[in-house]
Amino acid sequence: MARKLERMLILLAVGEFSLGILGNAFIGLVNFMDWVKNRKITSIDLILTSLALSRICLLCAILLDCFILVVYPDIYDNNEKMRLIDFFWTLTNQLSVSFAACLSIFYFFKIANFFHPLFLWMKGRIHKVILWTLLASLVLSVLISLPVTGDWNDNFRRCVKGRKKTNFTRRCGTNNDLYASTKLILNLVTLFPFAVSLFSFLLLILSLWRHTRQMKLNATGHRDPSTEAHVRALKSVISFLILFVAYCLAFLIATSSYFMPETELAVIFGELIALIYPSSHSFILILGNNKLRQTSVKLLCKVKHILKGRKILT
């Protein structure tokens, strides 16, 4: 029964993975083709492309871990391979969250209306600010991911693998405490870019409120381009915040489940929820971006036309 449930969860994970790859690959491909065509790339396209690539890698890391856990559990005995997988997952996770924070920062500087000298100075240099922020995110993500290559991770996995055969020893208990504390620290580190996104979201709300109040004083319609831009940015940021909270809870389930019975099912279930964040947010970004939305509509129309042509031929 448990094995059938595992297979069913794996199939659901593959479905979520496929949707995520489709959405993120579409974002990356459209922006790359536009970059080649115009021989330059805008700040928003650079962020979205970086975010899409990081999430493609994150999706691969999550699905790979699911398959290893169910199909090839003996790989857990190979310390070098598991260190590489742990490093890859942690790195792509950090990059995905950091690049999403960069997107929130871009929306804030591009759309918000404030008159502080520092804000105006950074707004005028938004491309350089975003470029340096992306580079800093890459370097910091690599440094943050290095602790997972430690020996404590190898020892912990040996304890988990041997748990069904023998009772926990004092040494395994120590390894578990070290594993849990390190994972907790790594999760807390991801809260910094989350806090940046949340702060940008609150400032965007403040900017929208001030703009709406100004529109009322001028007796002008509320649905002007600036208001529309504020609303689209807020939808994108709040969807990221909600999905990221769900992702963190799922990651917490997957991590804490190593100390519970039926580890495999709990881990797969947690990773199944975690896949929702990098998969679904890509489609929200497509709908919120004019170029991506228009390209997707054209593509769907072409696919629909081709399918109609095949029906007529048959």
Side-chain angles (χ1 to χ4, degrees):
M1 183 65 181
R3 184 59 61 180
K4 289 183 179 180
L5 186 58
E6 285 179 1
R7 290 175 181 174
M8 184 179 70
L9 292 176
I10 285 291
L11 287 176
L12 289 174
V14 170
E16 290 184 30
F17 169 83
S18 302
L19 287 175
I21 292 295
L22 180 65
N24 287 292
F26 175 79
I27 293 174
L29 186 60
V30 170
N31 288 330
F32 178 75
M33 291 175 64
D34 192 59
W35 183 12
V36 173
K37 181 180 178 181
N38 299 323
R39 295 184 179 180
K40 64 178 181 180
I41 187 168
T42 61
S43 297
I44 183 64
D45 289 347
L46 179 61
I47 297 171
L48 290 176
T49 303
S50 302
L51 184 58
L53 291 175
S54 66
R55 285 179 172 172
I56 288 173
C57 295
L58 178 60
L59 286 166
C60 292
I62 296 175
L63 189 68
L64 178 62
D65 193 69
C66 286
F67 272 109
I68 289 175
L69 188 65
V70 176
V71 183
Y72 304 107
D74 292 338
I75 293 181
Y76 275 91
D77 290 333
N78 191 316
N79 295 335
E80 292 183 1
K81 289 183 179 179
M82 287 311 303
R83 285 183 186 182
L84 183 61
I85 293 172
D86 288 339
F87 176 80
F88 183 65
W89 187 350
T90 307
L91 176 62
T92 54
N93 176 53
Q94 294 292 336
L95 285 175
S96 175
V97 179
S98 299
F99 290 160
C102 291
L103 182 62
S104 302
I105 293 171
F106 173 81
Y107 284 144
F108 169 64
F109 283 112
K110 199 70 176 178
I111 299 172
N113 295 314
F114 294 101
F115 301 100
H116 192 278
L118 180 60
F119 174 82
L120 295 175
W121 182 84
M122 296 184 73
K123 186 182 181 75
R125 297 162 177 80
I126 184 64
H127 188 73
K128 289 184 178 180
V129 171
I130 292 301
L131 183 60
W132 282 106
T133 304
L134 289 173
L135 290 174
S137 300
L138 177 61
V139 173
L140 289 175
S141 297
V142 172
L143 294 176
I144 291 170
S145 305
L146 289 176
V148 301
T149 60
D151 293 335
W152 57 270
N153 223 3
D154 302 333
N155 296 331
F156 171 78
R157 280 192 294 269
R158 293 192 198 101
C159 292
V160 171
K161 190 172 180 62
R163 180 176 55 180
K164 295 180 180 180
K165 297 178 181 179
T166 59
N167 295 326
F168 279 113
T169 61
R170 183 174 300 178
R171 181 181 176 184
C172 283
T174 303
N175 289 329
N176 290 338
D177 293 338
L178 183 59
Y179 176 86
S181 60
T182 306
K183 284 291 185 180
L184 179 61
I185 292 172
L186 291 176
N187 288 335
L188 290 176
V189 170
T190 60
L191 291 180
F192 176 73
F194 174 81
V196 172
S197 298
L198 181 61
F199 187 63
S200 301
F201 173 73
L202 295 175
L203 288 176
L204 278 170
I205 291 179
L206 177 61
S207 175
L208 177 60
W209 175 76
R210 291 175 60 181
H211 176 73
T212 305
R213 188 178 64 173
Q214 188 65 34
M215 295 291 291
K216 288 181 179 179
L217 292 175
N218 295 334
T220 313
H222 294 173
R223 306 304 289 183
D224 65 305
S226 181
T227 304
E228 294 287 351
H230 274 84
V231 172
R232 283 198 302 268
L234 288 171
K235 286 180 179 178
S236 177
V237 176
I238 195 171
S239 62
F240 160 70
L241 294 174
I242 294 173
L243 289 170
F244 182 72
V245 169
Y247 173 78
C248 286
L249 292 175
F251 194 74
L252 184 63
I253 292 172
T255 303
S256 60
S257 63
Y258 283 111
F259 309 101
M260 305 174 187
E262 299 297 335
T263 294
E264 291 82 3
L265 286 176
V267 172
I268 296 172
F269 180 74
E271 293 179 349
L272 190 65
I273 300 174
L275 282 167
I276 297 174
Y277 156 64
S279 299
S280 60
H281 193 237
S282 60
F283 293 97
I284 296 173
L285 293 176
I286 292 172
L287 294 175
N289 185 277
N290 289 330
K291 181 180 69 176
L292 295 173
R293 184 175 63 252
Q294 292 172 4
T295 305
S296 64
V297 170
K298 291 178 182 178
L299 182 62
L300 290 174
C301 288
K302 288 182 179 180
V303 172
K304 186 177 180 181
H305 180 71
I306 292 172
L307 292 177
K308 281 186 177 179
R310 286 186 177 181
K311 285 184 179 179
I312 293 174
L313 292 174
T314 55

